[in-house]
Amino acid sequence: MAAILAAIAVLSSSAGEKIEKSPLYKDASQPIAVRVNDLLGRMTLDEKIGQTNQRSVAVGMHDLGGWVPQFEQGHIGSIMNVSSPQVADSIQRIMLNKSRLGIPVLIARDVIHGYKTIFPIPLGQAATFNPDIARKGARVAATEASSDGIRWTFAPMLDIARDARWGRIAEGCGEDPYLTGQMGQAMVEGFQGGLAGDPTSLAACAKHFVAYGAAEGGRDYNSTFVPERVLRQTYLPPFRQAIDAGALTIMASFNDNDGIPVSANRHLLTDILRGEWKFPGFVVSDCFAVRELISHGVAADAADASRQTMNAGLDMEMETGHYLETMRGLIENGHVSEARLDSAVAAILYVKFAMGLFEDPFVHTPQSVKYSAEHLAAAKEAALQSAILLKNENNTLPLKPNRINRILLTGPLADARYDQLGTWIFDGEKEHTVTLRHGLDELCRKKGIAMDFVESLKYTRHDNLSGIDAAVTAARNADAIVVAVGEEAIFSGEGHCMASLNLVGRQSELVERLSATGKPVVMVVMAGRPLTIKPEIDRSAAVLYAFHPGTMGGPALADLLLGVTSPSGKTPVTFPLTTGQVPIYYNHNNTGRPANGTEIGLDGIPEDAGNTFLGCTSYYLDAGHKPMYPFGYGLSYGCFEYSDLKLSAGEYGKDQTIKARITVANNGTMDATETVQLYVRDHVASVTRPVKELKQFRRVPLRKGEKQTIEFELPVSELSYIGADLRPRIDSGDFTLFIGGNSETTLSAIFSIK
Ligand code: BGC
């Protein structure tokens, strides 16, 4: 590699000048800042503008078509959607050998929850409450993607989502900033690996910065109205954590927040990202987002949009070519300073240097990593840990060979090779999916249980009453029914929002008819979001919520259904009772009139009530104030009991650490893992504070009969919040610390801060 670089060294041969054999920026021993400055000083205006231009090739392209001149002239800083090692290498060869300065391009793709081996959707990964799962998932994805020349992924998505109608809730880690921060950090670490010198590392892109998940009405791309204090308290922290973990890039979000499209928001993209957080990497626009300033109604044309976004701090423009077309004119007319362009280019070059691309941009990962046994095993483990046991009446699960001789498997998602993979899988191939049908069939054979499969509904919207009849007939011979329902993959993800969270089509009828047979119904739900399935839950003896579990979802679910392993997932979002409750989340403020559980529902209102007050607390007459399942909830085949919560002191100084001990026992008959969660409530503060906030969690494996004392250490500094003056503060006074197996835990102790 060094030889190639030496051969293409820039030679300056004008009379009297020293001949430069190896420019400073090509010297890997120099600090990155020195290399960036040196290179920037050599670039023409057009070469600089070229760095800010990201284009997309046709997906699956196998030769460079008409792009070669653009690469040679240095008009492209990044290219999206190349997924072939040969194409990737030929692009980099052109860049190194034919472009004037030999600046490699960043080859990008959306590698969200797997490349070939697909892991559970990010929301499912969040249900593991296990950052190691997320780290490993991202590492596997990066390794596989790098074998096709990809070195930049648009992930992780760190949008806090509290409205399940929003289809992109599937792509993130749910409603809680702490859980999202922990999982997001792990994903950044996993994607980025060892960076310079590591040919499997992908630059991570924390997206969508910021508040995109607060889209009004849960409708994608919609406006948001998140005030600065809430941004700082809730929406920004996961991004800060990702940057502190080294995330090299950030994607600006599509939404306009309080009237300003984020792509043109200087306060967010420059004052906070650069000024306060010292972010050294670069900001990329979302797809076509620069042009969309025109639709937002804040820019007249492409030049106006480019001027606003570049000046706001948006360094690279995705897809439209507007920077390439307009930036020279904007600079010549003084609408954008060359210094601002330089800072954008410096940030882009910084990332390329940090990744070691100048030294070696070529593909070194062998094709054999795709679907390797190790990757499939990791995907299975992720699916195992992400499934949530929501209900298990009379210990219906696990299905035991001594009680169950014959199982009927049915439902539109029982054998759904594509839908099981979930949203955002550009490269995952359904041919590699092991479905629930195949996983369960194989395990049943091993355990000596007979399994019948009746398709009933081909897909979730399928209107096939005779299929339901066939399933009901087959159910008569079975000792238990497993019915897989939920959502097709296309129902969630970008632009795929739902106004109702109920099961679509005839699925509800399917569950009802199966339940009417009197045989125990185990409902397995695959979906991109929490669904409002109370009627179907009521008709099922047991419910396992798997989200879209990925390539190895089938064998993982089979293990859980038959008790090879106990479920351990916990809800990463509040599960609403009915769609009308959303947005709904556990860490809401108390209000001046909190509901207290004694509220009168529709049935309790006297016929002639007239215009009477009904207690006037914060609740719905027809749905109360409680969700179907709270955040952090999930059962297991173990039986966990919590006792002896003790704090190291009753009072702490602001620089001290709270130590909290709790004993957790597994009094069940199976080994299992419990996620022990620690929440805090601030009693009196300068602004209203959430009723509870997750501060720490730990997965604790406990053998049957085992008891463990667990200690949490919580620095008092982590109790700080954003005050009315937009600064972090900790108030003196009383707090309650809660520990338990979900966010409704009442096991608590009070302490005070002096
Ligand atoms: C999405 C991004 C994605 C980008 C590139 C956009 O439409 O909002 O999340 O990374 O496309 O595919």
Side-chain angles (χ1 to χ4, degrees), residues 80 110 154 168 171 207-208 212 251 254 286-287 318 424 426 494:
M80 274 164 72
D110 289 278
F154 302 125
R168 303 199 83 168
E171 293 175 55
K207 72 184 188 186
H208 305 84
Y212 180 41
M251 186 185 290
F254 283 129
D286 204 338
C287 210
M318 188 189 284
W424 279 109
F426 283 161
E494 184 177 351

Side-chain angles (χ1 to χ4, degrees), residues 207-258:
K207 72 184 188 186
H208 305 84
F209 187 83
V210 61
Y212 180 41
E216 254 196 343
R219 188 159 46 78
D220 208 5
Y221 315 120
N222 208 357
S223 301
T224 59
F225 297 92
V226 182
E228 172 110 10
R229 209 189 59 73
V230 182
L231 276 180
R232 288 180 181 272
Q233 183 69 50
T234 304
Y235 290 86
L236 287 170
F239 286 93
R240 178 69 195 264
Q241 194 168 342
I243 289 172
D244 289 348
L248 285 173
T249 72
I250 295 282
M251 186 185 290
S253 53
F254 283 129
N255 53 305
D256 62 307
N257 190 46
D258 194 17

Side-chain angles (χ1 to χ4, degrees), residues 284-547:
V284 65
S285 76
D286 204 338
C287 210
F288 306 115
V290 171
R291 175 184 301 166
E292 287 169 14
L293 254 53
I294 301 170
S295 314
H296 277 296
V298 298
D301 53 28
D304 190 18
S306 304
R307 172 187 65 79
Q308 293 189 41
T309 56
M310 179 55 93
N311 284 338
L314 193 88
D315 304 311
M316 183 183 278
E317 191 273 333
M318 188 189 284
E319 277 285 348
T320 61
H322 286 343
Y323 276 10
L324 194 69
E325 293 150 14
T326 65
M327 204 52 67
R328 172 172 270 281
L330 289 169
I331 288 175
E332 285 170 356
N333 294 331
H335 293 311
V336 172
S337 68
E338 192 162 353
R340 166 62 198 122
L341 176 66
D342 282 357
S343 71
V345 178
I348 295 165
L349 295 176
Y350 168 85
V351 170
K352 294 182 178 183
F353 281 118
M355 294 191 68
L357 295 181
F358 281 83
E359 281 62 63
D360 186 352
F362 298 111
V363 179
H364 295 290
T365 316
Q367 291 296 305
S368 56
V369 297
K370 292 172 177 164
Y371 301 113
S372 72
E374 184 206 335
H375 292 182
L376 293 174
K380 181 180 171 189
E381 185 58 32
L384 273 173
Q385 295 191 22
S386 67
I388 308 165
L389 183 64
L390 292 178
K391 177 177 180 182
N392 197 14
E393 206 172 75
N394 303 326
N395 294 326
T396 303
L397 289 178
L399 301 170
K400 294 250 173 67
N402 52 1
R403 283 189 307 181
I404 305 285
N405 293 317
R406 183 171 285 274
I407 293 173
L408 168 67
L409 175 68
T410 187
L413 287 155
D415 197 24
R417 286 148 88 88
Y418 182 78
D419 290 312
Q420 188 179 305
L421 299 179
T423 184
W424 279 109
I425 43 114
F426 283 161
D427 303 280
E429 294 141 318
K430 64 178 184 180
E431 293 69 27
H432 288 260
T433 304
V434 189
T435 64
L436 175 55
R437 178 185 178 183
H438 286 95
L440 194 59
D441 191 45
E442 196 177 313
L443 194 58
C444 278
R445 280 173 207 277
K446 279 195 199 141
K447 300 256 179 193
I449 299 177
M451 189 194 99
D452 298 322
F453 171 71
V454 176
E455 188 181 61
S456 59
L457 303 172
K458 197 171 174 53
Y459 52 98
T460 63
R461 291 160 291 157
H462 197 200
D463 187 10
N464 178 16
L465 291 179
S466 63
I468 297 182
D469 291 343
V472 169
T473 307
R476 301 213 170 93
N477 300 323
D479 302 308
I481 304 163
V482 176
V483 57
V485 293
E487 293 187 314
E488 290 156 53
I490 192 79
F491 291 9
S492 57
E494 184 177 351
H496 301 164
C497 302
M498 296 289 280
S500 161
L501 303 174
N502 296 344
L503 285 180
V504 300
R506 299 275 186 174
Q507 297 183 93
S508 196
E509 198 171 329
L510 172 66
V511 175
E512 186 176 354
R513 299 261 323 269
L514 292 171
S515 148
T517 64
K519 301 290 168 75
V521 172
V522 176
M523 181 164 70
V524 173
V525 187
M526 295 188 197
R529 51 164 70 79
L531 294 173
T532 45
I533 45 172
K534 182 170 182 334
E536 296 80 12
I537 291 175
D538 288 346
R539 292 190 176 107
S540 305
V543 180
L544 199 51
Y545 209 91
F547 297 99

